Amino acid sequence: MRQQTTTKQSAPEARTPRVFGAGARKAARAERDCRDGGDTGPIGTPRGFALLPWLLLGMGSISNVLRSETPDPWVGIVGLVAFNSLYITLVFRAFDRRARESVATRWCLAALGLVTFALAAAYGGNWLLFFPLLGLATGAVLRGRPLGRVLFAVTVTAAAVAGYHEGWNAVGVVYGTLVSGAVTAAILALSETVRELRETRQELARAAVDQERLRFSRDLHDLLGHTLSVIVVKSEVARRIAPRDIDAALVQVRDIESVGRQALTEIREAVTGYREASLAAEIDRARGALTAAGIESVVRQSGPPLPPQAAALLGWVVRECATNVIRHSGAATCEIEVRGSAERVRLVITDDGAGVASTLPGSGLTGLTERLAAAGGVLDSGPAPGRGFRVTAELPVEPAEGGEESR
């Protein structure tokens, strides 16, 4: 069984990394979709330009100035320039988090509030429509509790000033001020949430690619480590016996050919993402490889049949341990014991040599420890009592579906 564990990339890659298997292809497609569709979709990422058309609400005030319907028109012109400058500055700073949260932005918003109050209080009429624009700028700049307090203050001020000039006809201005601020804040908060979800989706896609790459590297390590060890051992046997028994040497050569063909098949299956180690098959292969290396093998099995997942994962443990015994231990005997119950299964592999475990992170017994941990099991390794090395793997047993026999 292939367990997946996240690993970190050393550097960002400019393109989708090359990985193998059906899971890898899906992960790569998800990453490409995220990258290609990151700035599109039903809800795009708004910018300051989206809030500029609302300045058309001030056209009535400009018309009043041009028609000389406003007392002290130069004061009105200066007020219009100041209001529009501050509003444009705020709506563009609102979409940069660092600029939005700066003290300068808060001062700009306060200045916009003072200009709005002064113009609306002095002139009334069309100038009252600057209050909804002030509410919109407030909703764009502020977030959380400050938004509620400031928007409430702006709405109350708008109600007082508009009520003074227009009486009950000012309800529309007050309502527009409140709604423009609340709706703008809600839309921008939703947009930020969507952007964060897209970034999270991209990160998950990259993690899936990394997991698939790690799965394939581990499978390839386990497959080739065992197979090449068997080939080396049988080649040494063939070389030693060839001078005195050519027929026996040819038998070993045929075994090497068979092992090589089997390795090619297993690698193809690993590349396509469908291979699952079989405990029974791996024990048979380990027994043959140990015998060829001159190591006596003893196998004991007890307990009910195992479900496919547990059997597959323990098959990887047998393969890795047999490879280590052949390559590192110098042992004369290797015992493989499988004891199962209704709740847990225990695999113990002991040799009488002086071998050591694989210690490279992400490979060998280290990688198997992570695989078993992901399945709720444990793997312990260390010196055996007296002499040798022992590996113990334990897994919880889940009932096999449909009475499937352990492979």
Side-chain angles (χ1 to χ4, degrees):
M1 180 177 67
R2 293 176 290 277
Q3 300 293 325
Q4 298 177 346
T5 305
T6 304
T7 186
K8 295 184 179 177
Q9 286 180 268
S10 58
E13 298 190 4
R15 59 187 178 88
T16 302
R18 184 182 180 191
V19 290
F20 302 91
R25 290 192 292 271
K26 292 179 181 178
R29 279 200 300 271
E31 185 180 24
R32 287 195 299 270
D33 291 344
C34 288
R35 185 177 63 245
D36 297 339
D39 295 326
T40 61
I43 300 180
T45 303
R47 294 290 182 263
F49 292 104
L51 302 181
L52 292 184
W54 293 102
L55 284 173
L56 294 175
L57 289 174
M59 289 300 296
S61 304
I62 297 175
S63 176
N64 290 345
V65 172
L66 294 178
R67 294 179 181 180
S68 300
E69 296 176 356
T70 301
D72 300 320
W74 288 107
V75 176
I77 291 174
V78 172
L80 284 171
V81 172
F83 181 90
N84 285 278
S85 299
L86 290 169
Y87 177 87
I88 293 171
T89 300
L90 284 170
V91 297
F92 278 101
R93 292 176 71 87
F95 294 94
D96 183 334
R97 175 171 293 182
R98 183 176 299 177
R100 183 178 68 231
E101 296 176 352
S102 67
V103 176
T105 302
R106 299 295 191 269
W107 281 109
C108 284
L109 183 61
L112 182 67
L114 291 175
V115 171
T116 302
F117 176 79
L119 293 175
Y123 298 127
N126 292 326
W127 299 82
L128 296 173
L129 295 177
F130 286 151
F131 274 114
L133 291 175
L134 175 60
L136 190 149
T138 301
V141 170
L142 299 181
R143 297 289 188 274
R145 292 183 178 181
L147 170 65
R149 292 194 294 265
V150 175
L151 187 58
F152 176 77
V154 170
T155 304
V156 171
T157 303
V161 175
Y164 173 78
H165 283 284
E166 303 293 335
W168 287 104
N169 293 330
V171 173
V173 173
V174 177
Y175 178 77
T177 302
L178 177 62
V179 170
S180 63
V183 170
T184 301
I187 291 176
L188 296 186
L190 176 62
S191 174
E192 291 177 358
T193 301
V194 170
R195 183 170 63 252
E196 291 174 358
L197 288 175
R198 286 175 177 167
E199 292 172 356
T200 302
R201 184 185 172 199
Q202 290 176 345
E203 185 62 30
L204 290 175
R206 285 190 290 269
V209 174
D210 292 342
Q211 289 171 357
E212 185 65 16
R213 182 194 289 119
L214 181 59
R215 179 205 65 81
F216 180 77
S217 66
R218 284 177 171 170
D219 284 1
L220 199 61
H221 168 273
D222 293 343
L223 287 170
L224 292 184
H226 176 79
T227 301
L228 294 179
S229 296
V230 173
I231 290 175
V232 169
V233 169
K234 287 187 172 292
S235 298
E236 292 175 348
V237 172
R239 177 177 54 79
R240 288 198 305 268
I241 66 176
R244 62 178 183 272
D245 192 343
I246 189 65
D247 291 334
L250 289 176
V251 171
Q252 296 297 324
V253 171
R254 282 195 295 271
D255 288 344
I256 293 172
E257 179 184 5
S258 175
V259 170
R261 292 183 183 278
Q262 181 64 29
L264 288 174
T265 301
E266 291 176 345
I267 291 173
R268 291 191 190 101
E269 292 173 345
V271 167
T272 53
Y274 295 122
R275 184 183 189 277
E276 292 221 357
S278 164
L279 178 58
E282 292 299 344
I283 289 177
D284 289 342
R285 291 174 186 170
R287 182 183 294 165
L290 291 168
T291 301
I295 301 173
E296 181 184 358
S297 60
V298 179
V299 178
R300 300 186 183 92
Q301 289 183 272
S302 62
L306 299 177
Q309 282 191 333
L313 189 51
L314 293 180
W316 286 110
V317 177
V318 170
R319 172 183 281 266
E320 175 63 26
C321 291
T323 302
N324 285 343
V325 170
I326 293 171
R327 293 172 60 184
H328 305 302
S329 71
T333 304
C334 178
E335 297 184 3
I336 301 174
E337 183 178 8
V338 181
R339 295 197 302 268
S341 66
E343 292 79 23
R344 296 185 70 83
V345 58
R346 178 183 175 93
L347 169 68
V348 181
I349 301 176
T350 308
D351 66 73
D352 59 358
V356 295
S358 174
T359 58
L360 291 176
S363 65
L365 295 181
T366 304
L368 287 173
T369 301
E370 297 174 357
R371 291 188 183 197
L372 265 70
V378 293
L379 186 142
D380 294 322
S381 59
R387 173 181 170 80
F389 196 81
R390 172 176 293 172
V391 176
T392 303
E394 288 192 40
L395 273 177
V397 175
E398 298 178 359
E401 296 181 3
E404 266 187 52
E405 294 183 359
S406 173
R407 289 184 291 172

